[in-house]
């Protein structure tokens, strides 16, 4: 496969988009862009600078002034590697707030499109197939039941899946899904021409294989 692939992967929290998209990008020799990490690093920078993530014009300015670099699975903001720092409950909440601000989305969507300009990109998020890259050659929408996604989250964090932990994590994921699916700008939704992959009963390796076979079918 030598064509320049632009691959859009969307889906709800905890579905494994990041792991799948990174593996697909590595296999294809493409750049992996985690758009959620852009909202997260911006939230991290805002908090570090003592700014309010509810202040839209301030957040828009911050987004405009920030430089984002992706390096494999890592993200740098203004040259600072923030990969681990952005995976906390505080950043989960702050990023979800920032993601609701239309002016910030406009700035970040422009940056995301610029990353895809030269092709050879695997980009994942919530609105990639619908808004950011509507002409992507391949669009995939990954889904899984809330219970399965909660189990994956607990496994990722190295936590055991006691009944209480599972119920708590599943509830938090459903709350974030609700915010993502019902927000007025760029809500999480499957593009009409995206291929739905229900990953509930498939291993991550199996999902990667399925996505690669879709890419092969669409791009050869
Ligand atoms: O995928 P994630 O959990 O890292 O995303 C962080 C937040 O950003 C989450 O609230 C969803 C939101 N987001 C978004 O609105 N649009 C995207 N393209 C990616 C993430």
């Amino acid at each position: 496969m030598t064509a320049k692939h632009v691959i859009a992967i969307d889906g709800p929290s905890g579905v494994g988009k990041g792991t799948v998209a990174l593996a697909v990008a590595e296999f294809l020799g493409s750049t992996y862009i985690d758009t959620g990490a852009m909202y997260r690093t911006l939230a991290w920078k805002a908090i570090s600078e003592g700014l309010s993530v509810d202040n839209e014009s301030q957040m828009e300015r911050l987004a405009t002034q920030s430089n984002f670099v992706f390096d494999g699975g890592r993200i740098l903001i203004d040259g600072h590697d923030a990969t681990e720092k952005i995976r906390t409950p505080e950043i989960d909440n702050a990023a979800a707030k920032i993601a609701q601000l239309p002016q910030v989305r406009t700035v970040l969507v422009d940056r995301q499109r610029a990353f895809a300009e030269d092709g050879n990109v695997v980009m994942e998020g919530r609105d990639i197939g619908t808004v950011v890259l509507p002409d992507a050659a391949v669009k995939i929408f990954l889904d899984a039941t809330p219970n399965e996604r909660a189990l994956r989250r607990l496994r990722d964090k190295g936590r055991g899946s006691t009944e209480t932990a599972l119920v708590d994590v599943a509830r938090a994921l459903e709350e974030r899904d609700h915010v993502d699916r019902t927000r007025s700008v760029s809500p999480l939704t499957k593009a009409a021409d995206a291929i739905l992959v229900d990953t509930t009963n498939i291993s991550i390796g199996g999902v990667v294989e399925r996505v690669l076979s879709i890419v092969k079918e669409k791009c050869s």
Side-chain angles (χ1 to χ4, degrees):
M1 281 181 279
T2 51
K4 288 193 167 186
H5 311 288
V6 174
I7 298 166
I9 301 183
D10 290 297
S13 301
V15 77
K17 293 186 300 292
T19 315
V20 170
L22 179 59
V24 168
E26 279 176 350
F27 184 88
L28 296 172
S30 298
T31 305
Y32 163 58
I33 306 290
D34 171 0
T35 59
M38 296 173 78
Y39 292 96
R40 287 176 179 273
T41 47
L42 204 58
W44 174 78
K45 186 174 169 183
I47 292 169
S48 309
E49 295 189 4
L51 303 174
S52 162
V53 296
D54 296 313
N55 184 327
E56 183 160 15
S57 57
Q58 236 175 31
M59 289 305 104
E60 182 196 15
R61 197 170 333 115
L62 200 69
T64 308
Q65 293 167 347
S66 297
N67 175 46
F68 302 90
V69 171
F70 286 94
D71 180 10
R74 308 200 71 79
I75 182 161
L76 285 76
I77 185 162
D78 304 333
H80 186 103
D81 188 335
T83 313
E84 277 81 29
K85 296 181 183 118
I86 59 172
R87 304 285 161 192
T88 68
E90 185 189 21
I91 301 291
D92 286 351
N93 291 332
K97 282 187 185 170
I98 286 187
Q100 291 184 59
L101 305 174
Q103 293 169 25
V104 174
R105 295 198 76 92
T106 302
V107 175
L108 293 192
V109 166
D110 275 353
R111 300 289 183 89
Q112 291 155 10
R113 287 183 181 144
F115 280 124
E117 238 160 42
D118 295 334
N120 286 336
V121 73
V122 179
M123 190 175 291
E124 57 108 336
R126 305 292 190 290
D127 59 341
I128 311 306
T130 49
V131 175
V132 182
L133 304 173
D135 298 328
V138 182
K139 296 183 188 180
I140 310 273
F141 192 92
L142 299 180
D143 213 346
T145 60
N147 196 58
E148 176 60 24
R149 290 187 283 127
L151 270 172
R152 289 178 189 170
R153 263 289 144 91
L154 285 172
R155 235 179 278 139
D156 281 354
K157 293 190 188 302
R159 287 170 56 195
S161 49
T162 64
E163 195 61 32
T164 330
L166 197 60
V167 169
D168 285 352
V169 174
R171 192 177 298 134
L173 282 176
E174 281 184 276
E175 276 167 20
R176 285 180 63 202
D177 280 359
H178 181 74
V179 172
D180 284 344
R181 288 183 202 271
T182 57
R183 69 168 170 246
S184 53
V185 273
S186 305
L188 167 66
T189 178
K190 179 186 157 304
D193 53 351
I195 295 173
L196 173 69
V197 178
D198 182 346
T199 71
T200 306
N201 296 307
I202 320 180
S203 67
I204 289 291
V207 180
V208 172
E209 270 177 31
R210 172 93 183 92
V211 171
L212 286 172
S213 81
I214 294 169
V215 173
K216 195 170 174 190
E217 201 181 297
K218 294 255 175 195
C219 298
S220 55

